[in-house]
Structures are given as structure tokens and as C-alpha cells.
Amino acid sequence: GENVEQHPSTLSVQEGDSAVIKCTYSDSASNYFPWYKQELGKRPQLIIDIRSNVGEKKDQRIAVTLNKTAKHFSLHITETQPEDSAVYFCAVYNSGTYKYIFGTGTRLKVLA
Amino acid sequence: GAGVSQTPSNKVTEKGKYVELRCDPISGHTALYWYRQSLGQGPEFLIYFQGTGAADDSGLPNDRFFAVRPEGSVSTLKIQRTERGDSAVYLCASSPGTGGADEQFFGPGTRLTVL
């Protein structure tokens, strides 16, 4: 089955700096790659997603890049702010199995 | 409109008891997922419904876990003979279920504590 690895597990950056979180997956049939932000005690919220026919997508300070050949995708947050502090999860979806497999999460701390 | 709701928000039970957790998806969403999230971990897939049928229940850890969605809307996750290791947050998510890759919308979760 699908295996998703996410790195790093924790990340501390200074306010205004950039943060990058990376995920790798194993099933080449996976075709949808969402990223979720989860604040303490809250539900996961979708922040950006990318589909397999696109290499990069940007939404203001957030971007996601996908390399299907290498089977990895990354979340980029620029000009980080304290309110970006949360746990971020990548996920991989396979439309053949209808299953989402999540990474283990990255705890991002933005230091003011 | 209303998002995904889950009840109860918290459930404390004793080892060996039976519990039911309820999920009310977004109206019109045919796809419904249950996940279990342990502390410091990502959501772990349990079961997926398309309409009334369980299309994939391969994530259910054992036969103490069962889920239903009799009318294709509300779903109930049932856990028999609860064990301390069942303690976790149980998340429900729904999506339109068009057959392609849809955005999932999560509920707030039910925190289950088995004493």
C-alpha cells in the first residue's frame, strides 16, 4: 500500500523567514496531494492542494511543488507569521482506491 | 452552510464498554471517511463510505470496530469492548464524492478516552 513520509517533524523559523516541508510517497498512481493545517485541538483545514497534472501552485504566501517522477511534493510558506504556527500534514490520494494517506505531521513554530 | 458535525465532542468510558460516535456530513456529500488520530500523529484511515455502502473498511483495526451509514447521510462508528488503546480523536470527513479527487472537509472530532 501507499507509504507517505514527511520531514521534518519539527521546524522553528524566525518571523519573516521561509519554511519548507517535504513529503515523499510510494504509489505512482496517486494523483491528488493536499496539505492541511491543524491548530491545537482543532480540525485539519485544507490550505492548498495540487493535482498530478500540475507542477506548482501558489496562493499568496503558500505554494506547493510536485515532482511526480521523484514522487515528492513540498509545501513552501514565505514571510512566515506567528499565526502560521501549527501542525502541518501532507496527504496523498489515489482515485483508484479513494483513500487518503496522511503524513506524520510537521510542527511549525514561528518565533516572533 | 453547515459544515461536518460530530457528536459527542468528548466521550469518557470504561474499558470493556460499548460506544457510538456520530458524524453528520455536509448535505449532499456522498463520500464519508472515518479517521483515528492519536497524539502527535496524522489521521489514520479507518473506513470509507460512498453513499450507504462501505467501499473500503480495510483500516478498521479489528472486529470490535464497525461503522454504518444506513441512509447515505449520517454515519455512526461503533466500538465494542473498548480498550485503553482505543483512546484517540476520531475524525470524520466528507467530500462531494464525484469519483475524482475532491476536497475533504473535516468535522471537529470526538475525543474518546477509555479508562
Side-chain angles (χ1 to χ4, degrees):
Chain A
E2 178 68 272
N3 183 43
V4 179
E5 293 190 0
Q6 183 172 345
H7 299 283
S9 57
T10 61
L11 179 60
S12 293
V13 299
Q14 291 292 328
E15 183 178 1
D17 287 351
S18 295
V20 180
I21 303 169
K22 298 182 179 180
C23 283
T24 61
Y25 61 99
S26 59
D27 190 345
S28 57
S30 296
N31 57 359
Y32 174 60
F33 308 90
W35 284 91
Y36 292 87
K37 176 182 180 181
Q38 188 175 31
E39 298 179 19
L40 190 62
K42 301 287 182 66
R43 72 190 78 188
Q45 298 269 15
L46 180 73
I47 56 171
I48 196 166
D49 56 13
I50 193 166
R51 297 174 193 274
S52 60
N53 57 345
V54 176
E56 183 174 357
K57 183 177 177 180
K58 189 172 182 181
D59 182 3
Q60 299 182 5
R61 297 185 298 108
I62 296 173
V64 56
T65 58
L66 171 66
N67 183 329
K68 282 221 75 181
T69 303
K71 299 198 198 70
H72 67 70
F73 58 112
S74 300
L75 176 70
H76 304 253
I77 307 174
T78 58
E79 301 169 28
T80 53
Q81 301 166 3
E83 51 265 38
D84 294 329
S85 296
V87 179
Y88 291 81
F89 293 99
C90 65
V92 172
Y93 175 80
N94 185 318
S95 61
T97 63
Y98 303 103
K99 216 183 263 192
Y100 292 83
I101 304 298
F102 284 77
T104 49
T106 296
R107 182 173 299 279
L108 174 65
K109 295 182 184 177
V110 180
L111 308 171
Chain B
V4 179
S5 61
Q6 292 185 245
T7 53
S9 55
N10 279 284
K11 177 70 177 177
V12 180
T13 192
E14 294 180 342
K15 180 175 178 295
K17 300 288 189 182
Y18 168 81
V19 296
E20 288 190 353
L21 312 179
R22 175 187 166 113
C23 173
D24 213 324
I26 292 172
S27 178
H29 280 191
T30 60
L32 186 148
Y33 295 80
W34 281 100
Y35 296 91
R36 178 168 66 178
Q37 188 174 28
S38 300
L39 195 62
Q41 299 295 314
E44 173 194 4
F45 170 82
L46 294 177
I47 188 169
Y48 158 63
F49 286 91
Q50 180 59 251
T52 60
D56 186 342
D57 64 357
S58 62
L60 295 177
N62 51 59
D63 61 6
R64 295 187 297 106
F65 288 74
F66 189 70
V68 296
R69 195 186 184 199
E71 298 177 356
S73 178
V74 170
S75 178
T76 305
L77 178 66
K78 308 180 181 195
I79 310 175
Q80 298 178 322
R81 305 183 303 281
T82 51
E83 299 178 356
R84 292 195 181 88
D86 298 335
S87 297
V89 174
Y90 289 82
L91 293 165
C92 172
S94 72
S95 65
T98 59
D102 297 319
E103 178 180 352
Q104 283 191 112
F105 296 84
F106 281 88
T110 293
R111 181 175 298 277
L112 175 66
T113 303
V114 182
L115 301 177

